[in-house]
Amino acid sequence: MFAGLTELGVANGEELKETLTNCTEPLKAIEQFQIENGVLLPSLQSALPFLDLHSIPRLEFHQTVFEELREKLLERVSIIASEGKAEDRYAKLEELLEKCFALVKMPSIQPVVMCVMKHLPKVPEKKLKLVMADKDLYKACAVEVKRQIWQDNQALFGDEVSPMLKQYILEKENILLSSDLSVLHNFFSLSPKTRRQGEVVQKLTQMIGKNVKLYDMVLQFLRTLFLRTRNVHYCTLRAELLMSLHDLDISEICTVDPCHKFTWCLDACIREKFVDAKRARELQGFLDGVKKGQEQVLGDLSMILCDPFAINTLALSTIRNLQELISQESLPRDSQELLLLLRMLSLGHGAWDMIDSQVFREPKLDPDVITKFLPTLIGLVVDDYTFNVENKLPTEEKVPVVYPNTLPDIFTKFLQENRIACDLGLYYTLHITKQRNKNFLLRLLPALKETFSDGAFTDIFLHLFTSNLTLLAEEFGSEDFCSSVFDGFFLLTCTKKENVHRHVLRLLLHLHLKVAPDKLESLQKALEPPKTSGEPLKELYNQLSDKMQQKKGSPEAEPEAASMDISIQNVPTPPVGTQ
């Protein structure tokens, strides 16, 4: 409580205790102590007895005066820090710090010491070491002081940042596996600017401030963790952090990050969920502008393009571009915009390999993707269009047609062996599911059982796929449709991949009233989690069991189920939805 007073020549509680212990007249000793250490203001002496008459203790009076003086001093420090030449004001603050630092452990004076340190761009190293060595002082000091400590102590900075990075990843995973299923409110619904307001991004932005060295440290942490885990959410954080600093106009960092303008342009595309022609030219200009000797920037650009939000935007833009090509009766190789989108997808998907190998050059896109895979995909789309048109012909002209249910071998092979083809195949599956195109979905679904790096069983795809499947809720009353979706796809990997197991349960929790009772019971048995599974999976399964039990116990359950079956049998299957 009295730490440092003796060093400044001010009597403390221990000295008073010693004086009273050794003196013969304690009252006189106390009076003398008050005269020597009280407020040295002659006019005050006559006013003090007046306070005594109002039963106001001297301690309360002195504490009030002390607090007022401390506030005035804090205001004065802030004024000194903002007025005059930088050299003069910093000299004054350093002098003040020399005088008051001895009291840094005294709780009542500590705010003043910390305030002085906060306004100094360079606190003397000796004092920084003393602060760093004391946990309480380190905790109490402002982030401006901590930045000065962190920039020379990467391990300590890493200890501060690590829990936040874990929290960020957990938040992303929780969104992907949340119990809410909605086409309108999914993982990609939030705008980039809204996402940047998240707690972790804001805290990291504050911790970095304008310090380029700390920014570089965070980027190195993100690269290292991305390499170690292959978790693409670290790529999202890399882009969000840069754009958060951009929002605050931190030019000290934005001007030295070579990815800034590229990320800024891509951020606008992500906001619109589309890469238009103008921005496509800008993005191409950045990629083509990477000079010889500066190829290392491709590592960061690839990481920014590996962000799931960037991949989502590029893939959606590619699907839209393909639809335009079909309407124009053009070939994929004739579209420069499409070629650029594929180039960026290839660079994004190649991020891990590039950073791991430290070979900074753009991965070559397999020309067969453009000349064979995409024309095959366009052929499948044309098949679907043709079927729909023939179904709409007048009855007398209509020739009985059967929807094609097989896929060309080359299409399936591309999904298994080529990352870009796999990505586009999955996004087209999401597109037709969102369009409620049951026939096309059932045609594509068998090809998703085996995809490049099990792309069809990642959390991001399954999150979107299960959300889009809710649009086909009425179809789950059909045994054939249920078997194709659950038995023919989901259940194939449930026992091997816990994340798939959780996504299926999420879907069933949403659709259990639509699924036929017998089918629902067989699915419940098939989805019973093993004893070694995690608590979230068991909790989801218990929720499903409770819902089914409630359904059985409801007196209206049986009539509802019966009427649902009758309606499905009596109502003809509607034509496939248009694209």
Side-chain angles (χ1 to χ4, degrees):
M1 187 176 175
F2 307 112
L5 287 175
T6 309
E7 293 173 39
L8 298 178
V10 178
N12 62 24
E14 290 300 318
E15 291 186 17
L16 176 60
K17 183 180 177 181
E18 191 178 335
T19 301
L20 292 174
T21 305
N22 299 325
C23 72
T24 52
E25 296 183 64
L27 291 177
K28 281 188 177 180
I30 290 169
E31 189 178 347
Q32 185 61 32
F33 186 89
Q34 287 176 326
I35 293 168
E36 290 175 359
N37 296 289
V39 180
L40 301 175
L41 196 64
S43 59
L44 182 64
Q45 298 307 313
S46 57
L48 288 176
F50 181 72
L51 294 178
D52 295 337
L53 290 173
H54 288 276
S55 302
I56 296 174
R58 295 291 170 90
L59 173 63
E60 187 179 327
F61 163 72
H62 282 97
Q63 279 180 335
T64 305
V65 172
F66 178 85
E67 284 165 11
E68 283 292 323
L69 289 171
R70 184 176 62 197
E71 289 307 311
K72 294 288 182 188
L73 184 54
L74 287 170
E75 286 174 24
R76 183 65 189 146
V77 170
S78 297
I79 291 168
I80 292 170
S82 59
E83 288 182 351
K85 293 180 181 178
E87 202 174 298
D88 295 339
R89 63 176 184 256
Y90 294 144
K92 286 179 185 176
L93 289 172
E94 283 174 6
E95 186 183 347
L96 184 56
L97 182 62
E98 261 326 300
K99 290 179 179 176
C100 69
F101 190 78
L103 303 175
V104 71
K105 291 187 180 181
M106 190 172 171
S108 53
I109 297 289
Q110 192 180 81
V112 177
V113 184
M114 292 302 178
C115 182
V116 176
M117 291 172 74
K118 172 185 171 180
H119 290 293
L120 273 172
K122 190 163 177 60
V123 175
E125 193 175 338
K126 186 181 176 183
K127 290 177 173 52
L128 281 180
K129 285 182 177 177
L130 289 169
V131 170
M132 189 172 69
D134 188 303
K135 284 184 180 179
D136 293 329
L137 288 183
Y138 173 75
K139 191 176 178 182
C141 71
V143 70
E144 289 85 353
V145 181
K146 285 179 179 174
R147 283 185 202 129
Q148 297 181 46
I149 294 171
W150 292 332
Q151 68 178 9
D152 296 319
N153 293 273
Q154 187 170 351
L156 182 61
F157 186 53
D159 291 342
E160 291 275 355
V161 169
S162 183
M164 285 189 276
L165 300 184
K166 286 177 184 173
Q167 180 187 337
Y168 181 87
I169 298 300
L170 191 62
E171 285 171 0
K172 293 290 182 191
E173 289 172 351
N174 285 342
I175 295 171
L176 288 171
L177 287 160
S178 70
S179 55
D180 297 327
L181 286 183
S182 170
V183 177
L184 297 175
H185 303 287
N186 60 40
F187 183 73
F188 294 111
S189 296
L190 291 178
S191 71
K193 197 153 191 174
T194 304
R195 285 189 282 114
R196 296 198 284 275
Q197 305 311 310
E199 182 187 358
V200 172
V201 177
Q202 288 299 306
K203 274 187 180 177
L204 285 173
T205 304
Q206 186 192 21
M207 288 169 76
I208 291 167
K210 299 178 180 181
N211 194 308
V212 177
K213 197 171 179 182
L214 292 181
Y215 178 67
D216 284 338
M217 278 189 206
V218 173
L219 295 194
Q220 191 53 48
F221 293 152
L222 294 177
R223 288 186 204 105
T224 304
L225 288 165
F226 176 51
L227 278 179
R228 191 181 301 164
T229 64
R230 289 182 181 261
N231 194 319
V232 290
H233 299 311
Y234 290 115
C235 301
T236 307
L237 183 53
R238 196 260 184 259
E240 284 182 354
L241 187 58
L242 174 55
M243 287 309 298
S244 177
L245 293 162
H246 165 89
D247 291 341
L248 296 173
D249 200 20
I250 309 291
S251 58
E252 290 86 347
I253 289 173
C254 292
T255 53
V256 297
D257 189 330
C259 301
H260 172 234
K261 288 185 178 177
F262 182 87
T263 309
W264 185 8
C265 184
L266 186 62
D267 185 74
C269 298
I270 292 170
R271 185 180 64 238
E272 304 296 330
K273 291 187 172 65
F274 180 62
V275 182
D276 61 34
K278 183 187 173 187
R279 290 196 179 114
R281 286 193 296 273
E282 286 181 47
L283 293 169
Q284 184 170 5
F286 294 129
L287 291 177
D288 293 342
V290 176
K291 297 173 185 174
K292 197 171 183 181
Q294 297 178 343
E295 293 90 347
Q296 196 164 345
V297 73
L298 284 172
D300 277 323
L301 288 175
S302 69
M303 199 169 168
I304 284 162
L305 285 168
C306 189
D307 165 17
F309 290 86
I311 295 287
N312 180 63
T313 301
L314 295 171
L316 290 175
S317 301
T318 303
I319 300 301
R320 190 162 159 181
N321 195 283
L322 284 174
Q323 290 175 308
E324 288 173 5
L325 289 176
I326 293 169
S327 65
Q328 296 163 6
E329 297 185 7
S330 300
L331 290 171
R333 63 179 179 228
D334 297 330
S335 170
Q336 290 305 309
E337 282 180 39
L338 177 63
L339 295 177
L340 173 65
L341 291 169
L342 295 175
R343 178 186 177 187
M344 289 193 287
L345 276 172
S346 181
L347 185 55
H349 281 306
W352 191 90
D353 293 322
M354 189 184 294
I355 297 169
D356 181 52
S357 66
Q358 293 291 291
V359 177
F360 299 104
R361 60 169 174 261
E362 285 192 49
K364 287 184 179 179
L365 179 67
D366 183 353
D368 285 348
V369 172
I370 301 158
T371 58
K372 292 181 181 177
F373 173 74
L374 290 179
T376 306
L377 178 57
I378 287 173
L380 299 179
V381 178
V382 172
D383 286 348
D384 184 64
Y385 283 172
T386 306
F387 177 81
N388 290 333
V389 169
E390 288 177 344
N391 261 351
K392 289 175 184 174
L393 289 172
T395 311
E396 61 273 11
E397 297 178 30
K398 190 182 290 186
V399 178
V401 285
V402 179
Y403 197 92
N405 55 12
T406 58
L407 292 167
D409 291 340
I410 191 171
F411 183 83
T412 309
K413 190 178 179 185
F414 266 108
L415 292 189
Q416 293 169 359
E417 298 177 2
N418 187 282
R419 188 191 298 266
I420 306 302
C422 174
D423 220 33
L424 296 178
L426 293 176
Y427 266 89
Y428 208 83
T429 304
L430 294 174
H431 172 71
I432 52 127
T433 310
K434 197 171 183 179
Q435 298 295 317
R436 298 179 171 89
N437 192 332
K438 181 188 80 168
N439 289 332
F440 205 163
L441 171 62
L442 294 178
R443 186 182 185 188
L444 285 179
L445 210 49
L448 304 190
K449 290 186 285 189
E450 288 184 45
T451 50
F452 187 91
S453 293
D454 275 343
F457 299 110
T458 59
D459 284 330
I460 291 174
F461 174 74
L462 291 175
H463 170 86
L464 296 173
F465 188 45
T466 51
S467 296
N468 289 0
L469 279 172
T470 60
L471 296 172
L472 288 163
E474 297 303 324
E475 300 293 345
F476 282 89
S478 158
E479 175 75 27
D480 290 343
F481 186 78
C482 268
S483 295
S484 297
V485 173
F486 292 111
D487 303 325
F489 178 65
F490 284 119
L491 296 183
L492 296 174
T493 54
C494 263
T495 53
K496 302 173 194 171
K497 295 177 179 286
E498 189 168 307
N499 72 309
V500 180
H501 203 150
R502 287 177 69 178
H503 282 289
V504 182
L505 288 169
R506 288 172 64 241
L507 181 62
L508 275 176
L509 275 169
H510 193 85
L511 297 173
H512 70 280
L513 292 173
K514 303 292 183 183
V515 180
D518 291 345
K519 184 64 182 173
L520 189 59
E521 281 192 27
S522 69
L523 285 171
Q524 184 190 20
K525 288 174 186 174
L527 290 168
E528 186 172 355
K531 292 179 181 178
T532 54
S533 58
E535 285 304 314
L537 176 60
K538 290 177 181 175
E539 176 61 29
L540 277 172
Y541 182 77
N542 290 338
Q543 285 178 32
L544 178 64
S545 300
D546 291 344
K547 296 257 186 190
M548 289 175 65
Q549 200 60 42
Q550 287 170 17
K551 184 182 174 184
K552 283 179 184 175
S554 169
E556 296 179 8
E558 291 303 321
E560 272 185 18
S563 67
M564 184 175 71
D565 289 343
I566 290 165
S567 65
I568 289 168
Q569 289 165 8
N570 292 342
V571 178
T573 305
V576 177
T578 56
Q579 294 299 313

